[in-house]
Amino acid sequence: MELTLWTYEGPPHVGAMRIASSMEGVHYVLHAPQGDTYADLLFTMIERRGRRPPVTYTTFQARDLGGDTAELVKGHIQEAVDRFQPEALLVGESCTAELIQDQPGSLAQGMGLNLPIVNLELPAYSKKENWGAAETLYQLVRGLLHEQPRPEKPFFPTEWKATGRRPRVNLLGPSLLGFRCRDDVIEIEKLLKNHDIEINVVAPLGATPADLIRIPKADLNICLYPEIAESTCIWLERNFGMPFTQTIPIGVNATQDFLIELHNLLEKEPPKKNELINESRLTWYSQSVDSNYLTGKRVFIFGDGTHAIAAARIAKEELGFEVVGLGTYSREMAKKVRSTAKELGLEALITNNYLEVEAAMNETSPELVLGTQMERHSAKRLGIPCAVISSPIHVQDVPARYSPQMGWEGANVIFDDWVHPLMMGLEEHLIGMFRHDFEFIDGHQSHLGHSGVLQDRSDNQPEKISMISSDKVSSDEATPIWTEDGKKELAKIPFFVRGKVRRNTETYARKAGCKNINSETLFDAKAHFSG
């Protein structure tokens, strides 16, 4: 284990809690000490839900360790069943309780309870939250379907034709604490309805154990979030012959490819790309003159595997950005992210250390960061615009309004979230250029506020430039000191190249033995690197 201020993923039992909280009729008994009940806050505060997650904690204390904690576990299991009357029971343990080895799942299975019991063995010291969520969904589906008869004849996703009905699909993977999952489901349901395709089951979000039993009645599965649903989709394909989609419909091109893949699997006439091209406003913008102002912008991407890969494709193919960094904290998705990075000529950053990500952001000098709430904080320190595209999220990333990421409307939302920070940054730069114009009053600033740069004050003090660097700027004696003259000249440089100019100038000053950087040093450095 590693002590850290922030973490991208919680322990696997938090992932199990996400599945239980996403469903109806499921209860989770968690063998955990008194301090491990903090996870309730994730749902009541961040998801802003009006009810607690369906979790019963054993909440054992230090004095209980001298007695029979197994009886304590059994007592809480019986109380939870009697009180909540669940249709299915999940039983597991937190990372601390794992050390005691009470095996609560085995205890529950030996109590003679008349309901399905899923014993969750989640290795807390080697796995993380998304893996825990995926394993919980997999074990729940497998446990409920293990007595279902396997198909005697090969499974055909075109059976809907023979029975004279519309094709049916399952949407697998959306869960609480996922990124915009609620709205993604609504958007995909609308998208499929427009193509005359029915939804059989959505799981785990809003599903009951009875719904999971109905999963094989669909013609195929749509794997919306591979981190959560891919292992379940693979098991259903192996045991029930149900194929599943590989394309995640985030972005215009990916939504087109998703629809074509889905129609081909169902042997329906696929829509033509030229018929779909203008379903989103993002496409119109990419073809407009205005988009030329942002073509070639440098973008750094980090998040879960699904959203990071989708963001890289949108940035490159649909907005004309240059992807200068790509990474993920999800070890399970590392192979796919590495493959995407290789296609872009990059080396993927696979880490769960947010400080490594911040250092990579600083090194690549992007003009836009697409990441998690951690990257938003890092980007703020570096003075770089940022849009959140992935969990982990803060309460502000769970909007009350309809704000999907998938489908045509999702492409519109992405366009707004990504392009507007750059436009506001351009406004900030123009205001900086013309701040001495008589039409501007002292202290005028754009919608971005100070954005890492303080405008001239009434006492005509020079601008204060953020000097954050991957080097130890404030404490490293070898780092040259910027004079007020140098800072003032640096402030005249556009924000989207200022970081690179600053680093190049500091590098030049070190080599030249300059302890102070003034305007002349900056001009010399510019001539050096230009030549």
Side-chain angles (χ1 to χ4, degrees), residues 302-512:
F302 191 89
D304 67 31
T306 294
H307 290 90
I309 292 171
R313 181 177 183 184
I314 295 170
K316 181 176 184 294
E317 297 179 4
E318 299 173 27
L319 290 172
F321 294 163
E322 179 188 357
V323 181
V324 296
L326 176 63
T328 183
Y329 57 81
S330 176
R331 299 284 175 178
E332 291 76 27
M333 294 287 286
K335 184 176 180 180
K336 294 181 180 180
V337 173
R338 284 194 178 101
S339 177
T340 302
K342 186 176 181 181
E343 294 174 4
L344 296 168
L346 302 170
E347 182 177 350
L349 176 63
I350 312 298
T351 181
N352 58 9
N353 187 331
Y354 71 95
L355 293 175
E356 291 182 20
V357 181
E358 182 172 323
M361 289 164 53
N362 193 36
E363 181 65 27
T364 53
S365 300
E367 294 149 84
L368 176 67
V369 172
L370 304 174
T372 72
Q373 68 151 330
M374 262 89 99
E375 281 65 55
R376 175 168 51 208
H377 284 284
S378 296
K380 188 179 295 184
R381 284 196 293 272
L382 296 171
I384 305 171
C386 178
V388 173
I389 63 164
S390 161
S391 297
I393 53 179
H394 193 264
V395 62
Q396 68 191 85
D397 305 309
V398 187
R401 69 183 184 280
Y402 182 60
S403 186
Q405 295 288 284
M406 294 186 176
W408 306 126
E409 187 60 26
N412 291 336
V413 172
I414 288 171
F415 161 71
D416 287 341
D417 288 348
W418 296 14
V419 169
H420 289 175
L422 289 172
M423 287 298 193
M424 293 301 98
L426 182 61
E427 175 188 313
E428 184 83 19
H429 171 59
L430 291 174
I431 289 174
M433 286 179 62
F434 296 102
R435 65 185 181 278
H436 296 301
D437 192 282
F438 70 92
E439 294 184 7
F440 285 83
I441 62 173
D442 288 338
H444 186 86
Q445 54 185 280
S446 77
H447 299 74
L448 285 182
H450 296 306
S451 186
V453 179
L454 299 179
Q455 301 296 328
D456 278 359
R457 299 174 297 182
S458 57
D459 57 359
N460 294 320
Q461 290 294 322
E463 294 175 325
K464 296 182 179 180
I465 306 298
S466 174
M467 302 300 290
I468 297 173
S469 171
S470 57
D471 299 323
K472 299 176 182 177
V473 175
S474 60
S475 60
D476 189 347
E477 294 180 357
T479 301
I481 298 173
W482 286 81
T483 64
E484 295 302 322
D485 174 51
K487 290 179 184 179
K488 189 173 183 179
E489 195 62 41
L490 181 62
K492 298 177 182 178
I493 296 172
F495 76 97
F496 40 83
V497 292
R498 188 180 295 149
K500 184 175 181 180
V501 171
R502 172 176 51 76
R503 281 189 293 276
N504 284 346
T505 304
E506 289 177 354
T507 300
Y508 171 81
R510 289 191 190 97
K511 291 181 179 179

Side-chain angles (χ1 to χ4, degrees), residues 55-72:
V55 181
T56 294
Y57 301 90
T58 60
T59 55
F60 62 86
Q61 302 178 51
R63 62 173 177 266
D64 296 320
L65 299 180
D68 190 353
T69 51
E71 288 301 317
L72 179 71

